[in-house]
Amino acid sequence: MPRRPIHLSDAAETALRPALDTLRRELPAPGDFPPTVLEAAAEAARAPELSHKDVTELPFFTIDPPDSQDLDQAMYLERRAGGGYRVHYAIADMAAFVKPGGVIDTEAHQRVETLYFPDLKVPLHPPVLSEGAASLLPTNEKVPALLWQHDLDAHGVVTASTVYRALVRSRAKLNYAGVQQDIDAGTAEPAVALLREIGMLREAVEDERKAVSLMLPDQEITLKDGEFRLSYRTPLAVEGWNEQISLMTGMEAAKIMLKSGTGILRTQELRVPDPVPGLREIAKQLGIDWKHHMSYADLIRSLDPSKQNHAAFLHEATRLFRKADYTAFRDGALPPNQKHASIAAPYAHCTAPMRRLVDRYTGELCVAACALQAPPAWVLDALQDLPATMRNGKAGLADGECVDIVEAALLQHREGETFDAAVIDTDAEWVPPNPRTGLAYLADPPVMGKIKKASGSLVLGSSVRAKLEKADPKAGLKKDKILFSLP
C-alpha cells in the first residue's frame, strides 16, 4: 500500500525506540555520512554548478508538513490569457550540487532513497544540501531548480510541457492545514487558491483515465498510563490536489522521454485485465455501498480508511496490481510495457530528487530532450543499471515494518484475548479453494495482523472473533509481529 505516515508522542517514541533500532540494524539502514562526503557536500553547498536562467521574479511557494526542511518542490499557478492555466513547478536541481562519480554520488547510489522512521529519517543526501543549499526554502535567496512549465486548457488537460534549468526563489513555506483553511475560507492568495481549481480538474482527468489512486490516513501513536493508543488523521483535500501536480509532472516526464527514445519509467502491470468488476465484488462482500453511477475515484475519495471495511477495501484494491518496477530504455528501443497501471498512463519518478536517486536522472533526461540535446554521458552510463539499483531501495520495506511495529505495540501483553475482526485478505489466490491463512483487521484497536484458521476456510469480508496469539513489536525483520487464530 502507499506510505502511511506515522507520528509518535515523546513517550511512545521512547518506548518503541529499541524495536526501531533493531529494525534499522536488520535492514540495515545507512549510518552517518562519511567525513569525505560531508566535506564534499559542504563545498558543493558553497559553489554549485550553475547554468540557470534567473526567474526569481516568480513568487513560488511550497506546501509541506510544518517541520519539513527538505523541500523538493515549489509551485506558482496562474491563469492563461484566453483561458486555461499555467503551472510553474520547480524541482530541486541536485545535479547542480552532486558531481557525477564523486563521493556524494557514490554514497547516494548506496543509499538509493531516504528512509523514514517514526522517530527519525535516514537521508539520501547530507542535510547541508537536502535541508540547506539545495532545498527550496524561502530563506534561500536563489536556488537552482529544474523548472517545469505546464500549460493546461480550461478542462485541466495538458496542452504543452517543457522543463529547463532556472534559479528560483520560494516566497512562502506553507503547510497543508493552513492552505486548506485559507482556501475554504476564501482568504488564500490567488495563486494558492488556484490549487483547488486545478487539482479538482486534474482529479476529473484522472477519473476519465480510470486511474486507481489511494490516500491513506496518518497514524498518531501515543503512550498513556502504560498503554499505547492509536488515532488517525484523514488526508486533507489539498494533499490530493498537491499530489495531482506531482502526478501530472511525472506523466509529462514520461511522455518527453518516450518521445526522445531514452529514459526510465515507473511501470506497473495489472493482475487482471479490468479491475473494476473485481473491485465491485469486493466492495459488496465488505458491505460498501458502491452506487452503479459512482466512479472508482469518487468511491475512493468517499472512504474513511480508519473504518474497518473501508481499510479492507483499500488493502484489497492494491492486490489487483503487481509491484511497480523501473524500466529503462535508450536509442529509440522503447519497452513493450510503458504504462503504470494504477496511474493508467506512462509515468516517471521525477519530483523528489533529494529523497530518491532516480529522480536526478529523469530530470536530466527531460531537460536534455526539451533542449533537443543528447543526455549527459554520466546519465547514459548509469541508465542500464539504474532499475536494479532502485530495486535495492529499502523505503517500502522500512515503511511496512514500521507500521507493523507500532500496531503490534498496541496489542502487546494482550495475548489470549479475543477481538472482533474482519477477514480482509486470504491466500485463496495461492491455495484454492480452502484458504486458511490471511489478514484480519480489528475493529478496536484498528490494526491489521496475520490470521490462521485451524479448519474450514477463511471467507473474505467475514466478521470473526479472533484470538490474539502473538503481539511482538521486536519480532524482527519480515517476521509476523501480530498473529491471530480461529478454531
Side-chain angles (χ1 to χ4, degrees):
M1 298 178 79
R3 182 171 182 266
R4 177 163 58 194
I6 301 171
H7 309 282
L8 300 179
S9 68
D10 290 342
E13 180 179 318
T14 299
L16 290 178
R17 183 166 291 122
L20 294 169
D21 285 342
T22 297
L23 170 61
R24 285 186 279 267
R25 287 194 301 270
E26 291 183 350
L27 277 171
D32 294 336
F33 287 96
T36 54
V37 175
L38 294 176
E39 292 169 6
E43 177 60 30
R46 290 190 291 269
E49 294 289 334
L50 297 179
S51 57
H52 297 62
K53 177 182 177 181
D54 193 321
V55 296
T56 50
E57 73 278 3
L58 292 177
F60 285 94
F61 59 90
T62 61
I63 309 177
D64 291 277
D67 56 352
S68 294
Q69 295 297 311
D70 52 344
L71 309 185
D72 285 289
Q73 311 108 12
M75 69 180 77
Y76 173 65
L77 312 176
E78 59 182 342
R79 297 187 188 276
R80 296 175 61 206
Y85 311 87
R86 176 162 290 172
V87 174
H88 304 271
Y89 198 43
I91 306 300
D93 183 6
M94 291 308 299
F97 298 92
V98 180
K99 180 181 178 181
V103 292
I104 306 173
D105 186 32
T106 300
E107 182 73 14
H109 276 77
Q110 294 173 352
R111 292 178 176 244
V112 185
E113 300 168 297
T114 293
L115 303 182
Y116 292 90
F117 300 92
D119 56 336
L120 57 84
K121 67 179 178 182
V122 180
L124 174 62
H125 299 101
V128 69
L129 297 178
S130 61
E131 297 183 3
S135 181
L136 299 175
L137 292 161
T139 51
N140 288 335
E141 288 293 321
K142 294 182 178 181
V143 185
L146 305 185
L147 182 54
W148 287 88
Q149 180 178 297
H150 305 296
D151 287 346
L152 285 65
D153 67 16
H155 302 289
V157 176
V158 177
T159 58
S161 285
T162 190
V163 59
Y164 58 93
R165 283 194 150 81
L167 290 175
V168 302
R169 182 187 176 193
S170 174
R171 304 300 173 90
K173 182 177 182 289
L174 308 179
N175 62 76
Y176 291 115
V179 171
Q180 187 72 63
Q181 182 177 354
D182 289 345
I183 289 178
D184 291 345
T187 58
E189 294 290 330
V192 178
L194 275 178
L195 181 58
R196 173 168 61 181
E197 195 170 324
I198 295 172
M200 293 180 70
L201 287 171
R202 290 301 302 175
E203 286 175 346
V205 172
E206 179 179 74
D207 197 356
E208 291 175 3
R209 291 198 317 271
K210 297 184 178 180
V212 179
S213 61
L214 300 173
M215 290 288 285
L216 297 181
D218 291 3
Q219 285 183 325
E220 181 76 32
I221 308 295
T222 59
L223 180 63
K224 187 175 182 180
D225 299 328
E227 291 186 2
F228 288 98
R229 301 180 184 182
L230 169 67
S231 60
Y232 284 101
R233 184 192 69 82
T234 301
L236 299 169
V238 68
E239 295 175 68
W241 303 333
N242 188 58
E243 178 66 14
Q244 287 296 328
I245 305 299
S246 178
L247 285 170
M248 175 176 64
T249 303
M251 288 186 286
E252 291 304 307
K255 289 180 185 177
I256 288 170
M257 289 187 289
L258 286 168
K259 184 177 179 180
S260 74
T262 299
I264 180 167
L265 305 176
R266 185 66 164 157
T267 54
Q268 184 187 52
E269 296 182 6
L270 282 168
R271 289 186 182 274
V272 292
D274 182 3
V276 172
L279 287 168
R280 285 193 175 275
E281 180 61 28
I282 290 169
K284 182 179 178 181
Q285 293 178 16
L286 294 172
I288 295 173
D289 185 15
W290 186 351
K291 303 293 185 184
H292 181 72
H293 66 274
M294 181 183 286
S295 70
Y296 174 84
D298 286 339
L299 174 71
I300 290 295
R301 296 181 194 115
S302 73
L303 298 180
D304 179 356
S306 65
K307 294 181 178 179
Q308 188 182 73
N309 59 336
H310 292 192
F313 179 85
L314 292 172
H315 179 270
E316 282 300 303
T318 64
R319 285 170 51 83
L320 296 173
F321 301 92
R322 299 187 186 280
K323 185 178 179 180
D325 199 3
Y326 291 93
T327 302
F329 58 97
R330 61 176 296 178
D331 303 326
L334 302 184
N337 178 32
Q338 303 172 9
K339 209 170 184 181
H340 191 291
S342 60
I343 294 173
Y347 173 72
H349 277 157
C350 66
T351 62
M354 286 196 291
R355 291 170 279 173
R356 199 167 45 213
L357 176 66
V358 69
D359 298 47
R360 174 156 50 101
Y361 289 85
T362 52
E364 291 300 308
L365 289 164
C366 290
V367 166
C370 288
L372 302 179
Q373 298 175 352
W378 62 269
V379 175
L380 293 178
D381 290 344
L383 197 57
Q384 181 178 351
D385 295 331
L386 200 52
T389 300
M390 293 307 300
R391 291 182 200 118
N392 289 330
K394 299 171 182 175
L397 178 58
D399 290 345
E401 289 286 326
C402 287
V403 170
D404 291 347
I405 286 171
V406 298
E407 292 190 347
L410 292 168
L411 296 174
Q412 198 172 16
H413 311 308
R414 298 183 68 180
E415 288 89 346
E417 294 185 31
T418 57
F419 297 83
D420 290 324
V423 177
I424 67 168
D425 189 18
T426 74
D427 59 7
E429 180 179 356
W430 314 112
V431 289
N434 297 310
R436 293 185 180 178
T437 62
L439 292 175
Y441 197 94
L442 299 195
D444 183 24
V447 301
M448 183 169 60
K450 187 174 181 179
I451 187 169
K452 291 185 176 181
K453 186 172 174 60
S455 61
S457 301
L458 285 173
V459 178
L460 181 66
S462 63
S463 296
V464 297
R465 288 283 291 170
K467 179 182 177 182
L468 179 62
E469 300 288 349
K470 175 183 177 182
D472 182 8
K474 300 178 182 178
L477 186 66
K478 298 182 180 180
K479 302 287 181 61
D480 293 328
K481 297 174 180 61
I482 300 177
L483 178 63
F484 298 98
S485 67
L486 289 174

